Amino acid sequence: MGSLVASEAVEAREDRFDWFCETVSTDLMPVMLTTPHTADFRAKITDLDLGAVRLSSLACSPVLSRRTSAHIRRGDPEHFQLALVTQGRFTISQRGRDSVVAGGLVLTDTSRPSEGAVAGGQIEAIVLQIPRPALALRPNRVDSLLARNLAADTGPSAILADFLRTLLTHGPRCRPEELRELGSIALDLATACLAQQLGDPGEAPAEARTRETLQRIHRFIENNLGDPGLTPQAIADRHNMSLRALHALFAGQDLTIAARIRESRLERAHADLARGDLSGRPVQVIAARWGFSSATAFSRAFRETYGITPTEHRASSPAAPGQAPEG
């Protein structure tokens, strides 16, 4: 679900900029911020966890930012940050490149020093935070896009921009599993957008394409665990590959694809059985919720994995009825 914090929550005006600096450095990345508007500083930050990626929105008074090598050593999420500037003008410097962005997209790398400035009026931006390994594009080619003003009014870039705006508006009312699926879509759109900017969508090396395919299949599995028909053959058909190719793709993984499905389903059921708000639901209902069509097979698999039965696990949970919370 989404979270929203605003400077107005800080009662003393003179403390609002300090709050903003601490929030950015803690929740995003360590960075030095300065502003000529300390006395009347205003800001609002929204954060949305999408599983594969995170979406943040930022609205604030004019501010200067500087991220040095010391800041990177102190804390680096190792993300690409793809920002859509929806209001105001933002100046960014990274890798010796300077750009002024207004109404467009700009890509930055948290692992490299950078400087930014918001001059004039308030700025508003939507930021998609993408873990570096999740982006299936050649790293040295992606680096060529850093701190460039990328147009957001045509092709995949325009589709991505519209999707981010809609996601920011309606995402906070979505369920966690829906947000994970939307995060997968956002990552695919961002990859297509950057590939278009590079001018060669097929540029990604074979290992990057393999990694991206695996990530896409993992996301598909997570989003469809409740479907009893989720089988390796169904996954292969959905991704336009043979069953042999699918098994070959998972040959270097810790688990086979069938074991991956089984483990993920058990993890979800294990978590649900410990939830107090689901204590009234029968065990077999929770098992069916995560794709187990046989209550007996579910109980046997659960005990093999966790060493206790589903009923015993529920009874021992801190959230179980009659259990007093510790501490």
Side-chain angles (χ1 to χ4, degrees):
M1 304 298 284
S3 60
L4 170 66
V5 289
S7 58
E8 282 73 8
V10 181
E11 294 184 4
R13 284 177 174 266
E14 62 273 15
D15 293 337
R16 289 177 177 175
F17 183 64
D18 290 338
W19 161 85
F20 179 72
C21 294
E22 182 178 353
T23 300
V24 171
S25 290
T26 301
D27 295 347
L28 294 179
M29 59 183 180
V31 64
M32 182 177 68
L33 301 169
T34 57
T35 182
H37 297 271
T38 304
D40 60 347
F41 189 82
R42 298 171 66 90
K44 182 170 66 175
I45 302 173
T46 302
D47 183 69
L48 202 59
D49 185 358
L50 303 176
V53 294
R54 296 186 73 88
L55 187 69
S56 304
S57 72
L58 173 68
C60 68
S61 302
V63 67
L64 302 177
S65 68
R66 186 163 183 250
R67 180 164 165 82
T68 65
S69 298
H71 291 117
I72 295 170
R73 289 193 296 271
R74 192 188 315 164
D76 182 13
E78 298 185 358
H79 285 173
F80 287 115
Q81 295 184 335
L82 185 59
L84 173 66
V85 180
T86 56
Q87 179 181 319
R89 297 168 65 86
F90 179 60
T91 301
I92 180 68
S93 300
Q94 191 168 62
R95 288 202 72 209
R97 186 180 297 117
D98 302 324
S99 293
V100 178
V101 185
L105 291 157
V106 63
L107 182 72
T108 55
D109 183 353
T110 65
S111 300
R112 297 177 183 269
S114 62
E115 294 186 8
V118 177
Q122 175 173 290
I123 189 174
E124 294 184 7
I126 304 171
V127 183
L128 189 65
Q129 301 177 59
I130 308 171
R132 293 181 65 92
L135 194 62
L137 294 170
R138 192 185 298 274
N140 64 325
R141 295 275 284 160
V142 175
D143 286 350
S144 69
L145 296 177
L146 297 178
R148 278 178 47 187
N149 186 0
L150 308 176
D153 55 358
T154 59
S157 298
I159 295 172
L160 173 65
D162 288 344
F163 182 75
L164 295 181
R165 292 188 186 97
T166 303
L167 188 54
L168 187 64
T169 301
H170 300 288
R173 293 188 292 275
C174 292
R175 298 191 303 272
E177 57 269 25
E178 294 172 331
L179 290 176
R180 286 192 293 270
E181 185 170 357
L182 292 169
S184 300
I185 296 171
L187 177 58
D188 289 343
L189 287 174
T191 303
C193 165
L194 296 174
Q196 180 218 24
Q197 297 288 344
L198 288 169
D200 188 359
E203 178 76 9
E207 60 271 21
R209 289 196 295 270
T210 298
R211 184 173 65 247
E212 195 277 334
T213 301
L214 274 170
Q215 290 169 346
R216 185 165 7 106
I217 290 173
H218 284 311
R219 294 195 297 268
F220 180 79
I221 291 172
E222 291 299 315
N223 293 333
N224 292 276
L225 287 173
D227 181 2
L230 182 68
T231 63
Q233 185 63 64
I235 294 171
D237 293 342
R238 175 63 178 79
H239 292 84
N240 300 312
M241 63 174 63
S242 68
L243 185 59
R244 174 180 291 183
L246 179 63
H247 285 305
L249 193 64
F250 274 76
Q253 303 295 298
D254 294 335
L255 297 173
T256 65
I257 188 166
R260 173 78 169 80
I261 296 170
R262 177 177 179 271
E263 181 181 84
S264 296
R265 283 173 166 164
L266 285 170
E267 287 175 351
R268 297 291 183 86
H270 184 273
D272 276 3
L273 287 167
R275 288 173 52 181
D277 59 326
L278 298 180
S279 60
R281 296 192 184 183
V283 170
Q284 60 265 33
V285 171
I286 289 179
R289 181 187 185 191
W290 296 115
F292 290 96
S293 54
S294 166
T296 302
F298 168 68
S299 294
R300 183 171 56 250
F302 194 97
R303 184 161 193 162
E304 289 174 355
T305 301
Y306 298 109
I308 58 175
T309 67
T311 302
E312 290 169 342
H313 169 61
R314 167 174 273 178
S316 65
S317 168
Q323 290 274 21
E326 294 184 4

